[in-house]
Amino acid sequence: MTVKKFLLLSTLSLLFIPAFGNGYTPRVTIIATGGTIAGIAPSSAGTFYDPAQLTVGALMEQVPEIRSKASITGIQLCNIASQHMTTEIWIRLASVIDSLFSNDLCDGIVVTHGTDTMEETAFFLNLVVPHDKPVVLTGSMRPSNALGADGPANLYNAVCLAASPAARDKGVMAVMNDYIFAAAEFTKTHTVNPHAFESPGRGPLGIIRGGIPVFFRDPGPMHTVHSEFSIKHLHGTDLPPVGIVLSYAGASAVPVEALIASGVEGIVVAGVGHGNYSLEIEAAIPGIIARGVLIVRATRILCGGVASDVESPFEGQLTSGLLSPQKVRILLMVALTRYRDPDNLQRIIDGYQ
Ligand code: DGL
């Protein structure tokens, strides 16, 4: 089934057109992918639950208040726990978003998503969705039927933000626990608490309470419609493989060699401190670079990133800037679809912070 036909059928199947007075009613499409927000627990007071159980229609029925904010359409793209997210799903998701906006089928999009890889999906979309209309990711830390379930409020806030003219040209955003985050900046910082996300060292883009967004600042300029990359050029293309290796006291270089043997085109090293490696990994880097594999020097530390004036030796390596290892990996995969020379690749990394 083509993306366009899938969209048309989905649009017809779950269209809610609320009764509104005069004035324009924003059209918001909710694309569901799974996660805890769609999770069901055997006991509302328990901690065990199954993620990715409810469909987009059930999520929408849990929050009837969204119909007072927008004309809502629902699409079920997949239903997975987000630790199982893949680049194939990313490309499908970005293609559906591009088609919705290119055919003027909505004014804003909410993507419901697991929180484990929400930051990665948001950052990929931030690089390749060539539109300035709002794309807002949200999810939850507690399943849909838990005491204190946070999903309904997060979904309400995400719909309100996606329907807001103030959200245009802000890049892809995430809304969790009343905070608005920029795709390039936020990361999961708590495994179970509803306040599970931060933008370390930079802070949230803004807050949203009762559906009213208040922005403190803008995100970095290189995103979505301003990006030099687009999903229109990635259809059906597997992204070049890039792996991540963690450094720690006494870290072996075996994972580095294993990644090279698997055929990666780049390796991101999540170093200690300001991007420093164990002796074994450090000793392996020159040989890796000599074999034409790109190395990005990143850090496992949440704040400060890795600048090019790091401690030696760093000859021939790219540096991550403020991007986390998991995000600079995504940027390198996308950038490798257009560039292979280190100068352009470092220019891209420095620009897309
Ligand atoms: N399995 C995790 C995921 O889907 C649950 C976390 C969540 O969605 O909050 O990301």
Side-chain angles (χ1 to χ4, degrees), residues 34-37 49 51 80-83 113-117 140-141 188:
T36 298
I37 193 169
Y49 67 91
I80 62 168
S82 79
Q83 62 266 35
H113 194 290
T115 57
D116 288 357
T117 60
S140 74
M141 294 301 291
K188 191 170 182 180

Side-chain angles (χ1 to χ4, degrees), residues 57-113:
L59 296 178
M60 290 154 68
E61 283 170 18
Q62 281 194 329
V63 194
E65 296 83 353
I66 59 178
R67 297 175 205 166
S68 68
K69 292 296 179 179
S71 167
I72 306 289
T73 307
I75 294 176
Q76 189 79 42
L77 186 87
C78 59
N79 215 350
I80 62 168
S82 79
Q83 62 266 35
H84 301 147
M85 185 52 70
T86 65
T87 53
E88 184 274 330
I89 297 174
W90 280 351
I91 289 174
R92 270 196 297 129
L93 174 57
S95 300
V96 167
I97 292 172
D98 177 41
S99 193
L100 282 166
F101 285 151
S102 298
N103 292 286
D104 191 23
L105 290 174
C106 64
D107 303 301
I109 290 173
V110 169
V111 178
T112 58
H113 194 290

Side-chain angles (χ1 to χ4, degrees), residues 38-53:
I40 296 177
S43 155
S44 60
T47 54
F48 173 80
Y49 67 91
D50 288 313
Q53 302 299 304

